[in-house]
Amino acid sequence: MIEFDQVTMRFGELTVLDRISLSIAERRVAVVGANGSGKSTFARLLNGLIAPTDGHVRIDGLDTVKDARAVRRKVGFVFQNPDNQIVYPLVEEDVAFGLKNLKLPKDEIRTRVDAVLARYGMEHLRTRPAHLLSGGQKQMLAISSVLVMEPAYVVFDEPTTLLDLRNKRRVTRAIAEMPQTAVVVSHDLEFLEDFERVLVFEGGGIVCDAPPAVALPFYRDLMASVPDV
Amino acid sequence: MFEISLDRVTWLHRVPAGVKLAVLALAGAAVFLVADHRVLGGFVAVALLLPLSARLPVRAVARQSLPAAILIALLAGFHVLTSEPDTAIEVSARLATVILLAVTLTLTTRVSAMVEAIETAARPLRLVGVDPAKVGLTLSLAIRFIPVLFALVSEIREAQKARGLEGSVVAVVMPLLVRTLKMADDLADAIAARGYDAE
Ligand SMILES: Nc1ncnc2c1ncn2[C@@H]1O[C@H](COP(=O)(O)OP(=O)(O)OP(=O)(O)O)[C@@H](O)[C@H]1O
Ligand SMILES: [Mg+2]
């Protein structure tokens, strides 16, 4: 369960989110909105990458500020650009990175890395240098490196924006099939049609919170009606 | 750079990374302490025999040694021209030894194993407040991001060329700086999000 309790986020003078309250129990939640509407800010609040200026964010009752370490273990985060997430030169080394930080025994690390690579069809890439992978393979690596930590929630901030159609499909299928709760920021509205709930961000708040059948047409109308600046 | 050859696991792959690093460091120091041409020749011979004994792919060894080989040739040529043929031999032999050993090391050792060995070696630094795990992470990041930065530079140069700015250094350096800083920022977030504790 994700809970926002009167959350305000300000950067200097700029109020990006204004007293947001909501709770999320659904397994597939999408976040849409114009550029600069605060989607990434919302996403980053979810695992304590940033602390709210006011209010509280709680994950299964854990405060993202006070219990930051526990929250990080519960909530995985996949960013837009896989190049900025991959830490180690080789695929299998990168997948093992987080587990090593937990100081797990070598055998267990190996078993879990094997399982994740097999699950996402990447065994044949395990000893490849990450910089030689395709964009889609890199993003799958970034996702694998997060899922190997077995988080209960995974936040995706525009995971398919840099990918071609085929790789986009691969990544969206992987997200659709994963057992975890996923909160996905995306401009790919087609992908969001199967989600349970869509949050539309605009002007510092959530202006629509509904299933995709209602929220996506609302968002399309909203974007069409906003005058150019 | 830092490609590892894993087609076949050789005896050199099985030698612990720490041992290989220690041999590299010791040989690297020793080769600069001797001037006897026969001993230097022995060093070069051993440095050549090591990758051969493990039958590492000759092409990979050659490709990785090439930039250094060019440098050695230039240096040697310079010393010959200034009529110091002895120095030419010494400099070439020393550099060749170190380069060949370093290439052999990188071709048979995972970066993670090397980093672990260095972390272990850096453990005493804890006494002066240095965190060996951080040293290790910094190293692996440096190695990981060399190819990323190269790709970034060529991408930016291409974009500037398309705008007719190929001569301008600023046109490459400025976006490179901006993109690198952004990348560093994102990376720090990604590392934090993956549960790495900075403390
Ligand atoms: N660390 C920061 N410091 C200052 N301002 C920030 C910071 N992070 C975000 N902002 C500002 O907050 C606003 C919302 O940013 P955010 O990244 O959340 O938008 P977004 O909805 O993700 O946009 P996009 O679709 O472009 O990714 C923007 O005006 C942005 O400039
Ligand atoms: Mg964003």
Side-chain angles (χ1 to χ4, degrees), chain B:
Chain B
M1 186 81 186
F2 284 98
E3 40 181 322
I4 177 169
S5 160
L6 293 165
D7 317 336
R8 226 161 20 84
V9 173
T10 70
W11 71 272
L12 273 172
H13 287 82
R14 281 188 285 265
V15 177
V19 174
K20 284 185 273 192
L21 276 167
V23 168
L24 174 65
L26 288 177
V31 79
F32 279 88
L33 295 178
V34 296
D36 187 316
H37 290 188
R38 280 162 307 178
V39 181
L40 284 175
F43 269 108
V44 176
V46 172
L48 266 173
L49 280 175
L50 271 179
L52 287 178
S53 77
R55 288 189 291 140
L56 293 182
V58 176
R59 284 171 109 227
V61 178
R63 187 174 29 184
Q64 295 218 45
S65 317
L66 186 66
I70 294 171
L71 181 73
I72 292 174
L74 286 174
L75 277 174
F78 171 76
H79 284 297
V80 169
L81 284 179
T82 54
S83 57
E84 298 168 57
D86 274 358
T87 316
I89 292 173
E90 282 157 29
V91 168
S92 314
R94 284 172 180 157
L95 288 178
T97 303
V98 174
I99 301 296
L100 278 167
L101 289 179
V103 168
T104 306
L105 171 78
T106 57
L107 277 175
T108 58
T109 317
R110 279 161 199 281
V111 169
S112 55
M114 249 188 281
V115 166
E116 260 167 41
I118 292 170
E119 276 176 26
T120 310
R123 233 173 250 163
L125 292 181
R126 240 188 231 145
L127 296 174
V128 292
V130 177
D131 177 1
K134 256 186 216 165
V135 174
L137 180 65
T138 310
L139 265 174
S140 21
L141 284 177
I143 293 165
R144 147 87 184 117
F145 275 88
I146 290 166
V148 177
L149 284 178
F150 271 110
L152 196 55
V153 170
S154 69
E155 185 189 314
I156 291 171
R157 283 180 57 177
E158 212 158 73
Q160 302 300 8
K161 214 182 270 174
R163 296 171 57 196
L165 291 174
E166 59 260 61
S168 165
V169 176
V170 176
V172 174
V173 171
M174 283 315 287
L176 183 65
L177 215 58
V178 172
R179 295 272 300 268
T180 312
L181 289 176
K182 165 93 176 88
M183 203 160 85
D185 223 32
D186 286 357
L187 185 69
D189 276 352
I191 288 174
R194 282 171 71 179
Y196 184 85
D197 279 312
E199 290 84 48

Side-chain angles (χ1 to χ4, degrees), chain A residues 9-12 14-17 31-44 50 80 157-158 185 187 201, chain B residues 185:
Chain A
M9 191 73 218
R10 270 188 294 267
F11 295 108
L14 181 72
T15 301
V16 177
L17 299 176
V31 175
V32 299
N35 292 135
S37 58
K39 307 181 295 296
S40 296
T41 304
F42 176 78
R44 291 151 60 86
I50 50 176
Q80 181 181 77
D157 193 352
E158 301 194 33
V185 177
H187 294 291
F201 279 70
Chain B
D185 223 32

Side-chain angles (χ1 to χ4, degrees), chain A residues 11-179:
Chain A
F11 295 108
E13 299 278 274
L14 181 72
T15 301
V16 177
L17 299 176
D18 191 13
R19 282 164 294 157
I20 304 259
S21 289
L22 81 162
S23 58
I24 297 174
E26 290 81 1
R27 281 189 51 247
R28 290 292 177 268
V29 178
V31 175
V32 299
N35 292 135
S37 58
K39 307 181 295 296
S40 296
T41 304
F42 176 78
R44 291 151 60 86
L45 282 165
L46 287 171
N47 77 334
L49 277 174
I50 50 176
T53 318
D54 268 316
H56 297 278
V57 181
R58 290 189 198 87
I59 311 290
D60 293 341
L62 296 167
D63 188 279
T64 55
V65 177
K66 279 204 288 279
D67 314 303
R69 189 181 294 207
V71 166
R72 294 266 164 84
R73 294 206 44 188
K74 245 181 203 304
V75 187
F77 204 113
V78 176
F79 298 79
Q80 181 181 77
N81 189 345
D83 261 331
N84 300 353
Q85 305 172 64
I86 300 168
V87 176
Y88 268 93
L90 291 191
V91 168
E92 64 178 359
E93 291 177 325
D94 191 67
V95 177
F97 168 71
L99 298 173
K100 267 196 189 159
N101 285 334
L102 296 182
K103 308 235 162 23
L104 295 181
K106 283 214 159 109
D107 290 348
E108 190 182 342
I109 294 183
R110 176 131 197 128
T111 316
R112 281 170 69 171
V113 170
D114 284 348
V116 163
L117 290 177
R119 170 98 176 66
Y120 293 99
M122 310 230 306
E123 293 126 308
H124 63 297
L125 301 175
R126 66 179 306 150
T127 55
R128 264 318 153 76
H131 73 275
L132 296 182
L133 302 181
S134 74
Q137 288 171 333
K138 279 187 197 162
Q139 192 60 296
M140 288 308 301
L141 168 59
I143 293 175
S144 305
S145 296
V146 167
L147 292 184
V148 78
M149 306 300 290
E150 296 172 0
Y153 303 83
V154 186
V155 182
F156 294 86
D157 193 352
E158 301 194 33
T160 60
T161 304
L162 299 175
L163 305 181
D164 67 27
L165 267 182
R166 179 181 302 139
N167 284 310
K168 194 174 277 192
R169 214 169 293 140
R170 240 183 113 190
V171 169
T172 52
R173 195 180 325 122
I175 296 175
E177 286 171 1
M178 54 177 241

